[in-house]
Amino acid sequence: MSDIIQLLPDHVANQIAAGEVVQRPASVVKELLENSIDAGATSIKLLIKDAGKTLIQVIDNGKGMSATDARMSFERHATSKIREAQDLFNLHTKGFRGEALASIAAIAHVELKTKQENDELGTTIKIEGSTVALQEPIATAKGTSIAVKNLFYNIPARRNFLKSDTVEMRHINDEFQRVAMAHSNVSFLLHHNNNEIYNLRENNLRKRIVALFGDKMNEKLVPIKEQTDIISINGFVVKPKFSKKKRGEQFFFVNQRFIKSAYLNHAVTSAFEGLLENGYYPSYFLYLTVPTDSIDINIHPTKTEIKFDNEKALYAILRATIKHSLGQYNVAPILDFDRDANLDTPYHYTKKEAVSTPSITVDPDFNPFKTEVSSRITTSKNEQTHYKKETANWEALYADIDILPEEKQQVFFENDDEVATKKTFQIQKKYLISTIKSGIVLINQSLAHQRILYEDFLANITVKEASSQQLLFPVNINFSKQDAEIIYHLKADLESAGFMFNEFTKNNIVVSGIPTSIIESQTTFILEQLVDDLKLEIPDASYSHFDVMAKSFAKSLAIKTGISLNQKEQENLVNNLFLCKEPTLSPFGKPIFKTFTLTEIDTIFNT
Ligand code: ADP
Ligand code: MG
């Protein structure tokens, strides 16, 4: 039998490759824009006609091409960007496969004009169906202009498959946005049918995002920043209350390349845990920078998926960083520092400084008396669901406290006995009532104290100068074999929290120093409680245990129900609570207080 295998002619091979690389006009846009970026352009114009079906033109002021390179650029596997396979793991360019121009030229009419800076004349080339129709010198500006006309003119099936102009233009817009977002230091222009859609000046990241998504975006952004050995993270997440029902604005850039990653998206989503209503998705603009040899970009023809070497670590860092930022910017109800302290940026605690303005979450419409009056207090614990809508911050809550003369109002927050005495009452050794301008606030004393202690611990741990007190008589604690195993892994974390140990073996620990916030006699109880709490946690090696520790200590040490507090103690508790970063919820997510407005109270009495 005769041989039947043949090498495909180039133009056929190119058309096949085009099937992968060029699915629609937007794919051409992506490739051309990326080539301009790779050419070092600082200004890029994208001109579109009929959603790209008639014309896609990109004009840049990049480095241009020589006459020979201009011709070469349309050959398959022709690239200036890599030389050997090894270079795939040291990529600093968007392109490297050398097939975009060849593919595009196989399925459209292409006109190229290009000139290098020091050349007098440039080159123009016209290609139709992979064959060069014209090449000649021409006078043109420095840089490159590529016009792609009549896309898929020779593949009717493909052309007919294109969607409406609106849909195709949306895809083009998406690609344009991604490139523009990844390169805020480049200016971009987008015209469709001679109408200007975007005119973006070179700018910082935040302004670029706002220019693309509208002025309102500015107030919605929470900055994200982290720098570690294996990754640096930059960018923004959108405050949870502005999250969307669609997965619209979710952007990851890795080394300035837009990528899709379900895995990293999961990390972000899980950082928003408890902050989003069902069916809502977080929006984010996250820029990750990783060493070029720690990723593989060549796993997908359009290069929108990449493989990371240390995915798990990246996941953990990303999640922790976002949680941290949400907490710091007071958007998250629960502070969460379950992360390696090394990764923490110092956590500035504002207790002694001027009062900051944490937001309080109160439902102004909630009327506790709609149901049973008598169960008012005892049901308050179950009122979590009513703490949803964000209204006034605490400043407004306490503004113009009407019993006090104007100039004394601030004093209330400085634990001034005299002025404050009239202002709080303890009831049932369980709740505190404090008067406020708009009515009263009912506070659960134990939960309030938990919050104060929790933030105190975290502040101490994260600023890394946890204060210790030396024990006069070191405390010897024996743990069961299983418990000893747990505590054994905590030594470093405990030390950062302010514990000191004379001995720390698998069977026995001798505590010689404790954090100042802990009472000596409670040392054993607190550590035992911590072990119990840790047993309930899902172990995850990539996290430190600070958060569990802080929660556990807060729970152990907080004053309980049944403890009566003198006036001064009540005042301190109330004042310190409202100096917390997040006074609304206990470390375990329970509401700490509830306000009752005068209007609500009036309705009880029908007045
Ligand atoms: P790749 O980008 O993967 O190298 P392309 O087919 O997209 O492959 O481009 C082939 C080559 O043509 C590039 O490597 C580059 O040298 C050159 N080139 C393409 N577009 C431009 C441009 N806008 N300015 C300068 N050179 C360009
Ligand atoms: Mg390219």
Side-chain angles (χ1 to χ4, degrees):
M1 233 188 137
S2 60
D3 302 331
I4 52 167
I5 298 180
Q6 289 183 9
L7 271 180
L8 288 172
D10 272 354
H11 70 274
V12 181
N14 285 341
Q15 253 194 39
I16 293 171
E20 269 190 340
V21 181
V22 185
Q23 273 128 31
R24 52 180 7 130
S27 336
V28 175
V29 167
K30 172 184 192 301
E31 294 297 334
L32 297 184
L33 291 178
E34 290 189 346
N35 278 347
S36 296
I37 295 285
D38 285 346
T42 56
S43 164
I44 300 175
K45 295 175 186 148
L46 171 60
L47 312 178
I48 302 289
K49 290 222 166 97
D50 305 321
K53 295 167 186 170
T54 310
L55 174 77
I56 300 163
Q57 183 173 16
V58 172
I59 306 165
D60 70 47
N61 66 350
K63 66 180 181 212
M65 285 178 263
S66 69
T68 321
D69 279 357
R71 177 65 195 81
M72 267 295 276
S73 67
F74 292 100
E75 295 296 329
R76 209 143 80 90
H77 306 309
T79 180
S80 55
K81 297 169 193 173
I82 60 170
R83 295 251 179 276
E84 44 186 320
Q86 200 52 37
D87 297 341
L88 283 174
F89 299 96
N90 186 23
L91 283 172
H92 296 278
T93 51
K94 303 272 168 291
F96 56 85
R97 295 166 65 108
E99 58 187 2
L101 291 188
S103 302
I104 294 166
I107 50 165
H109 298 144
V110 179
E111 276 179 47
L112 165 79
K113 287 178 193 158
T114 187
K115 186 178 93 71
Q116 291 180 308
E117 178 135 43
N118 297 322
D119 291 349
E120 209 155 289
L121 282 180
T123 306
T124 182
I125 291 181
K126 282 189 187 176
I127 297 191
E128 285 172 16
S130 290
T131 39
V132 180
L134 170 92
Q135 169 158 15
E136 59 187 23
I138 121 174
T140 181
K142 174 211 165 192
T144 302
S145 156
I146 299 187
V148 176
K149 297 178 180 169
N150 310 320
L151 187 68
F152 299 133
Y153 77 98
N154 52 356
I155 317 177
R158 265 298 173 89
R159 194 164 173 94
N160 297 336
F161 186 71
L162 291 178
K163 298 272 170 29
S164 70
D165 282 9
T166 320
V167 172
E168 292 303 337
M169 200 52 210
R170 200 163 62 225
H171 285 288
I172 289 175
N173 194 63
D174 285 350
E175 294 295 352
F176 176 85
Q177 284 190 341
R178 291 165 183 176
V179 179
M181 259 187 277
H183 299 275
S184 65
N185 56 344
V186 174
S187 68
F188 288 89
L189 193 82
L190 169 57
H191 282 192
H192 184 211
N193 295 337
N194 295 323
N195 296 321
E196 183 180 293
I197 313 284
Y198 289 113
N199 186 353
L200 309 170
R201 289 186 298 133
E202 66 163 291
N203 228 324
N204 64 29
L205 202 54
R206 187 178 195 118
K207 288 190 175 147
R208 174 57 54 91
I209 291 169
V210 170
L212 284 167
F213 294 95
D215 288 346
K216 282 203 185 126
M217 186 54 91
N218 197 25
E219 52 153 334
K220 301 182 185 173
L221 300 176
V222 179
I224 305 289
K225 214 173 179 59
E226 184 60 277
Q227 172 91 48
T228 76
D229 286 347
I230 56 167
I231 188 171
S232 85
I233 305 173
N234 238 308
F236 304 90
V237 296
V238 170
K239 291 176 189 165
K241 64 177 170 186
F242 298 111
S243 56
K244 299 206 157 182
K245 276 205 154 178
K246 278 188 283 179
R247 289 175 186 272
E249 288 140 12
Q250 302 188 326
F251 298 95
F252 281 120
F253 299 90
V254 174
N255 298 356
Q256 291 193 298
R257 184 190 300 276
F258 169 82
I259 61 131
K260 295 175 183 161
S261 168
Y263 189 69
L264 294 183
N265 175 63
H266 191 271
V268 178
T269 310
S270 74
F272 274 81
E273 209 174 84
L275 298 176
L276 297 176
E277 282 181 50
N278 253 349
Y280 281 78
Y281 298 94
S283 301
Y284 51 83
F285 310 88
L286 292 168
Y287 295 74
L288 320 181
T289 310
V290 298
T292 50
D293 60 359
S294 73
I295 46 173
D296 188 351
I297 300 163
N298 196 26
I299 57 165
H300 194 265
T302 61
K303 296 167 283 195
T304 44
E305 283 164 36
I306 65 181
K307 198 175 149 305
F308 296 93
D309 272 359
N310 29 25
E311 236 179 15
K312 280 206 178 119
L314 299 187
Y315 182 103
I317 296 169
L318 186 61
R319 178 175 177 273
T321 302
I322 292 171
K323 275 198 158 197
H324 184 65
S325 296
L326 288 172
Q328 270 201 329
Y329 283 83
N330 270 319
V331 235
I334 304 160
L335 289 172
D336 194 333
F337 289 83
D338 53 347
R339 54 183 301 169
D340 187 337
N342 299 327
L343 305 175
D344 269 324
T345 40
Y347 173 76
H348 293 294
Y349 205 59
T350 50
K351 206 162 225 171
K352 310 230 160 47
E353 299 164 17
V355 176
S356 66
T357 49
S359 57
I360 280 179
T361 314
V362 179
D363 179 355
D365 303 318
F366 172 59
N367 180 349
F369 308 120
K370 261 185 197 147
T371 50
E372 266 181 77
V373 178
S374 61
S375 62
R376 187 181 77 204
I377 291 164
T378 41
T379 54
S380 73
K381 263 193 178 170
N382 307 322
E383 285 170 10
Q384 279 196 52
T385 47
H386 301 297
Y387 283 72
K388 265 188 192 152
K389 257 188 256 166
E390 205 172 273
T391 56
N393 56 41
W394 71 265
E395 251 182 357
L397 196 69
Y398 275 91
D400 304 327
I401 294 165
D402 41 12
I403 314 171
L404 300 177
E406 286 260 278
E407 71 275 14
K408 292 258 185 168
Q409 283 159 22
Q410 191 55 34
V411 176
F412 178 71
F413 290 98
E414 289 162 5
N415 303 343
D416 188 302
D417 245 356
E418 239 179 45
V419 197
T421 34
K422 303 174 204 112
K423 308 207 39 33
T424 58
F425 313 87
Q426 190 184 26
I427 48 173
Q428 308 283 5
K429 295 185 184 167
K430 187 173 185 185
Y431 297 103
L432 301 179
I433 285 190
S434 182
T435 53
I436 52 172
K437 170 91 199 279
S438 60
I440 54 170
V441 56
L442 180 66
I443 302 169
N444 180 307
Q445 65 182 43
S446 181
L447 297 179
H449 199 207
Q450 279 186 11
R451 165 52 68 181
I452 295 163
L453 292 170
Y454 172 72
E455 291 200 11
D456 246 350
F457 272 116
L458 287 179
N460 268 321
I461 293 166
T462 51
V463 294
K464 284 200 173 165
E465 37 183 57
S467 38
S468 268
Q469 48 178 327
Q470 196 85 33
L471 292 180
L472 215 50
F473 304 102
V475 177
N476 197 331
I477 313 175
N478 277 302
F479 287 103
S480 73
K481 215 166 166 230
Q482 191 204 356
D483 293 357
E485 193 61 38
I486 293 173
I487 200 104
Y488 191 72
H489 293 290
L490 279 183
K491 183 166 188 259
D493 286 351
L494 286 168
E495 283 170 346
S496 334
F499 284 92
M500 293 185 289
F501 301 100
N502 273 350
E503 194 185 318
F504 205 104
T505 66
K506 288 215 167 181
N507 309 314
N508 195 49
I509 63 174
V510 179
V511 187
S512 57
I514 55 174
T516 41
S517 40
I518 289 182
I519 305 157
E520 192 165 344
S521 60
Q522 288 183 310
T523 309
T524 308
F525 166 70
I526 277 181
L527 288 174
E528 284 172 353
Q529 184 65 48
L530 175 64
V531 170
D532 283 348
D533 287 338
L534 278 164
K535 280 190 215 157
L536 300 173
E537 284 289 310
I538 302 139
D540 181 343
S542 57
Y543 291 102
S544 78
H545 299 100
F546 287 150
D547 191 62
V548 186
M549 218 188 272
K551 280 183 185 154
S552 175
F553 293 164
K555 190 177 62 187
S556 302
L557 292 172
I559 47 148
K560 305 284 179 308
T561 295
I563 304 286
S564 57
L565 301 172
N566 67 31
Q567 197 61 44
K568 172 94 179 165
E569 289 165 339
Q570 293 174 28
E571 299 303 333
N572 282 344
L573 196 68
V574 175
N575 291 345
N576 288 334
L577 173 67
F578 287 105
L579 290 173
C580 281
K581 277 167 164 279
E582 182 43 79
T584 55
L585 294 167
S586 84
F588 301 92
K590 293 184 182 167
I592 294 172
F593 64 86
K594 174 89 185 98
T595 56
F596 301 96
T597 64
L598 261 182
T599 333
E600 285 169 343
I601 297 168
D602 285 346
T603 51
I604 312 172
F605 304 102
N606 286 328
T607 53

